[in-house]
């Protein structure tokens, strides 16, 4: 089935992620589990499900939003992989996202 003319909207607490290569990531973060070779994958949030939970004590810049770059485990969402043209998307549960990638100032390059 050709998915080119379809849009996808996640339901529940799911997030639609566009998978990107680590070479395309603006911020370079090395999050490697060297013992298990468990490298993270990178993606951009394209859509949020209607039941995404934001805790009241979390700063606004840490709340999930469309367009944010995030990391997740390599094997997340394999059952819900969507190929649309040359672009790969994954439908992930909110809890499968490990971190939000925020570009730091050049003067403050601390991790």
């Amino acid at each position: 089935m050709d998915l080119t003319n379809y849009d996808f909207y996640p339901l529940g607490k799911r997030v639609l992620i566009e998978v990107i290569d680590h070479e395309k990531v603006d911020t370079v973060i090395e999050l490697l589990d060297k013992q298990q070779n468990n490298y993270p994958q990178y993606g951009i949030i394209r859509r949020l499900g209607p039941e995404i939970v934001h805790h009241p004590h979390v700063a606004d810049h840490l709340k999930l939003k469309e367009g944010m770059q995030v990391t997740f485990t390599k094997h997340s969402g394999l059952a819900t992989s969507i190929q649309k043209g040359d672009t790969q998307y994954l439908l992930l549960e909110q809890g499968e996202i490990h971190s939000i990638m925020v570009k730091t100032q050049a003067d403050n390059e601390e991790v």
Side-chain angles (χ1 to χ4, degrees), residues 41-58:
Q41 278 194 288
Y42 306 100
I44 300 171
I45 296 176
R46 293 300 179 201
R47 290 210 167 73
L48 298 171
E51 296 177 21
I52 293 296
V53 176
H54 289 118
H55 297 284
H57 302 293
V58 173

Side-chain angles (χ1 to χ4, degrees), residues 6-60:
Y6 289 86
D7 283 329
F8 294 88
Y9 295 88
L11 301 175
K13 295 180 183 178
R14 292 179 185 86
V15 180
L16 182 68
I17 303 281
E18 178 183 342
V19 179
I20 56 175
D21 294 331
H22 68 277
E23 290 89 13
K24 296 180 182 177
V25 176
D26 291 339
T27 308
V28 178
I29 298 178
E30 205 168 316
L31 298 171
L32 305 177
D33 181 353
K34 295 180 181 179
Q35 294 176 354
Q36 297 180 5
N37 291 328
N38 189 16
Y39 300 91
Q41 278 194 288
Y42 306 100
I44 300 171
I45 296 176
R46 293 300 179 201
R47 290 210 167 73
L48 298 171
E51 296 177 21
I52 293 296
V53 176
H54 289 118
H55 297 284
H57 302 293
V58 173
D60 281 341

Side-chain angles (χ1 to χ4, degrees), residues 1 5 7-8 13 16 20 23 25-26 31 37 43 50 62 66 74-77 80 83-84 95 100-101 105-106:
M1 178 179 200
N5 296 323
D7 283 329
F8 294 88
K13 295 180 183 178
L16 182 68
I20 56 175
E23 290 89 13
V25 176
D26 291 339
L31 298 171
N37 291 328
L62 296 177
E66 292 179 6
K74 188 174 185 178
H75 301 291
S76 297
T80 50
Q83 190 72 36
K84 187 174 175 182
I100 297 169
M101 299 170 61
Q105 299 292 330

